[in-house]
Amino acid sequence: QMGEYGFSSWTLHMASIIVVAPATTAPVDVTVTLEYRGGAIVSPRGARTPAGKPYTFSYSRFFVPIDWTIKFFEYGTDTDPVKQPAKFAKLLTGTPLKTATANRLAYISGRAIEDGVPRDRFAFVAAGATKLAPGDYTLQVISDDGVRVWMDGAMVLDEWTPHESKVSRVSIRGGGERRFKVEYYDVTGFAELRFDIQRK
């Protein structure tokens, strides 16, 4: 409709809204669907919708929080994770530089990723658990430089050779509590480690 000042009015109909309170244990499953009616539009993929016709779009987010405890370490040539694996493993059982907690592993930086942790030649070991509903999931890990992941005591991902930013995916099954352990190290420069569980 044409308003008093000649502007075309449009209506936004909310099909569904889910308001999610932050939680540390329950997976978050959000879908927001919107419907637009107004002037003609072109979608991000180039599809045209004429004026006055409904255009529906949505946003979805699936997130599995995990009660991570993260212990940070600094290593040297004598405890190098690749060249001195036994000494590196012993290092990870010692006193960490810093211990942090989070519900997600999501680090990406060209600087120090945490206060009190060196910019280069650092490592961490993270452990945590979550409950997954029955079903099929994808464990996605983005890493730079090296990472290993265990689920319920069994190694499910081994990308321990130094590498630039790399996406690794592993199929896993849900149904009850799952316990995870992540070992990660950075050599120099850019550091990245992101851990997500995605629903298939």
Side-chain angles (χ1 to χ4, degrees):
Q1 297 176 351
M2 297 302 289
E4 179 182 357
Y5 299 101
F7 296 112
S8 175
S9 63
W10 54 279
T11 305
L12 197 60
H13 300 282
M14 199 66 67
S16 65
I17 295 181
I18 301 173
V19 179
V20 179
T24 57
T25 56
V28 175
D29 193 356
V30 178
T31 299
V32 177
T33 302
L34 303 172
E35 183 181 279
Y36 166 79
R37 289 177 187 262
I41 64 166
V42 178
S43 77
R45 296 181 181 237
R48 295 182 175 275
T49 301
K53 296 290 185 180
Y55 172 70
T56 302
F57 55 102
S58 63
Y59 169 80
S60 296
R61 173 69 170 143
F62 180 73
F63 169 57
V64 178
I66 297 176
D67 61 342
W68 293 111
T69 298
I70 311 151
K71 297 180 180 181
F72 295 89
F73 300 86
E74 182 176 18
Y75 68 88
T77 54
D78 58 335
T79 52
D80 184 277
V82 175
K83 298 177 181 178
Q84 301 287 345
K87 292 182 179 179
F88 177 77
K90 185 177 180 181
L91 173 72
L92 297 187
T93 65
T95 303
L97 291 174
K98 179 177 183 175
T99 300
T101 59
N103 68 0
R104 184 181 181 197
L105 295 180
Y107 295 105
I108 179 169
S109 181
R111 301 180 180 180
I113 64 170
E114 284 269 353
D115 291 339
V117 176
R119 177 180 180 271
D120 298 319
R121 300 181 74 80
F122 72 89
F124 69 69
V125 57
T130 192
K131 288 185 178 179
L132 291 174
D136 296 320
Y137 299 85
T138 298
L139 169 62
Q140 176 176 284
V141 177
I142 305 175
S143 59
D144 177 348
D145 285 288
V147 65
R148 294 188 289 219
V149 178
W150 289 260
M151 184 177 77
D152 299 333
M155 185 181 290
V156 294
L157 177 66
D158 185 359
E159 298 284 6
W160 204 238
T161 303
H163 54 265
E164 295 183 352
S165 187
K166 180 177 184 178
V167 180
S168 306
R169 295 183 179 93
V170 177
S171 294
I172 61 174
R173 293 281 296 168
E177 185 173 271
R178 292 288 180 266
R179 303 196 64 83
F180 294 95
K181 184 176 82 166
V182 176
E183 289 183 359
Y184 167 80
Y185 72 89
D186 174 66
V187 183
T188 59
F190 196 74
E192 180 177 27
L193 192 285
R194 289 183 281 176
F195 179 109
D196 286 295
I197 296 175
Q198 302 172 347
R199 185 175 51 198
K200 283 190 175 179

